[in-house]
Amino acid sequence: MSAIKNGLFLSLEGVDGAGKSTHIPFIETHLQRLGIEVVVTREPGGTVLGETLRELLLHKDMDIRTETLLMFAARNEHIKQVIEPALVQGKWILCDRFSDASFAYQGGGRELGATAIETLEQWVHPDLQPDQTWLFDLPLEIATQRLQNSRVLDRFEQEQAAFFVRTQQFYHQRAQQDPHRFSLVDSSQPIHTIQQQLQQQLHHLVELWQSR
Ligand SMILES: Nc1ncnc2c1ncn2[C@@H]1O[C@H](COP(=O)(O)OP(=O)(O)O)[C@@H](O)[C@H]1O
Ligand SMILES: [Mg+2]
C-alpha cells in the first residue's frame, strides 16, 4: 500500500465550528497562486461511496463500533481512490479531517478509547499520515455559538458539551504525541489574522517542498 509520495498531504482538524471549512478556500487559492496543483477533499466522504457513508454517519443512529468501522471504510476508499493517486502525481491534498478526527470523536467523544482507533489506523493506513495538520483550537463556548448561528446541526454537532470536551482533549493529546506534524491555530482570532498565519506556513511548506 505504501505509495511513492511526491505531493504533500495537508489536513485540517478541530471540533465542529472551529473554522476548518472557512479556511479551505483560502488555502486552496493561495497554493494555486504558488503554482501547486491541489485536490480539496473531506472526511467522511471524498468519493462517491464515501459521500454515501457520510450521509449515514451524519444522520443515522448506530452503534459506536459501526460508526468507527464506517469511518474507516470511507477512509480506506478515500485513500485508495483519491489521496494516494493524487500524491503519486505530485498533487497536494487538502483534507477536511482525517484519522485524527476518529481519535478525537470516536476515541474521545464517544469514549471508545485510543487503542481501537490505533488498530484500525495501522490496518488501513500503516504508511500514510498527513505531512502537516492544522488543529483549529478555540474555547468550546465560542465554537458552539458559531455553530448555532451558522447551520442546521448534524448528529455529531448536536452532541452535549461533555462530548466536545472529551473530543478536544483527545485532539490535544494527539497533537502532543506528534508535535512536528501538528500546528495549532488559535481560531478564536479574527479570520484575517488566521489567514496571515496560514499564509506564512504555506510559503514555508512550498519552499521546503520545492527544494527537496
Ligand atoms: N475566526 C472566525 N471568527 C468568526 N467567525 C468564524 C471564524 N471562523 C469561522 N467562523 C464562522 O463560524 C462558523 C463555523 O465555521 P466552519 O468553518 O463551518 O467550522 P468547521 O468547518 O470547523 O465546523 C461559520 O459560520 C464561520 O463563518
Ligand atoms: Mg466544516
Side-chain angles (χ1 to χ4, degrees):
M1 113 129 211
S2 170
I4 302 165
K5 264 175 63 176
N6 291 319
L8 280 195
F9 180 8
L10 312 179
S11 63
L12 292 89
E13 297 285 355
V15 295
D16 296 281
K20 301 175 295 299
S21 304
T22 300
H23 292 284
I24 284 183
F26 173 80
I27 297 173
E28 180 186 19
T29 306
H30 203 72
L31 284 174
Q32 285 169 341
R33 279 203 206 116
L34 294 171
I36 304 294
E37 268 194 273
V38 54
V39 175
V40 175
T41 187
R42 68 174 180 180
E43 292 209 347
T47 64
V48 174
L49 178 60
E51 290 294 326
T52 306
L53 292 174
R54 179 188 180 92
E55 276 306 300
L56 296 173
L57 282 160
L58 297 194
H59 303 294
K60 298 280 185 214
D61 284 335
M62 61 186 80
D63 181 77
I64 167 60
R65 289 177 184 221
T66 310
E67 178 180 298
T68 306
L69 290 167
L70 288 183
M71 286 286 182
F72 273 92
R75 180 162 300 133
N76 184 59
E77 207 60 23
H78 192 208
I79 291 168
K80 295 292 169 357
Q81 285 196 32
V82 177
I83 298 178
E84 286 192 337
L87 292 173
V88 168
Q89 290 166 27
K91 295 174 186 165
W92 288 29
I93 291 284
L94 185 55
C95 194
D96 192 335
R97 299 191 183 286
F98 194 62
S99 287
D100 300 312
S102 295
F103 271 89
Y105 279 76
Q106 281 72 48
R110 300 246 192 264
E111 299 183 271
L112 190 64
T115 311
I117 312 292
E118 277 161 7
T119 304
L120 288 168
E121 187 181 36
Q122 270 303 306
W123 192 52
V124 171
H125 59 96
D127 304 323
L128 181 73
Q129 280 295 349
D131 296 290
Q132 153 99 41
T133 299
W134 284 286
L135 177 54
F136 285 75
D137 199 39
L138 78 177
L140 291 172
E141 310 81 69
I142 302 180
T144 307
Q145 204 165 30
R146 283 184 191 168
L147 264 189
Q148 278 163 356
N149 295 336
S150 76
R151 56 185 178 247
V152 178
L153 303 184
D154 67 37
R155 202 165 70 85
F156 293 95
E157 292 168 342
Q158 287 169 16
E159 281 292 340
Q160 301 300 309
F163 173 91
F164 288 107
V165 169
R166 292 191 297 272
T167 301
Q168 201 172 43
Q169 278 170 351
F170 266 59
Y171 264 135
H172 288 159
Q173 198 178 309
R174 187 86 161 152
Q176 280 160 12
Q177 284 165 359
D178 203 350
H180 293 294
R181 174 164 70 86
F182 274 90
S183 169
L184 250 66
V185 176
D186 173 1
S187 56
S188 65
Q189 300 176 103
I191 290 174
H192 179 68
T193 311
I194 296 169
Q195 286 177 344
Q196 284 175 332
Q197 175 186 341
L198 294 174
Q199 192 167 331
Q200 276 185 2
Q201 289 178 308
L202 290 171
H203 279 269
H204 184 61
L205 282 171
V206 171
E207 271 173 25
L208 279 179
W209 183 69
Q210 285 172 337
S211 65
R212 286 167 312 165

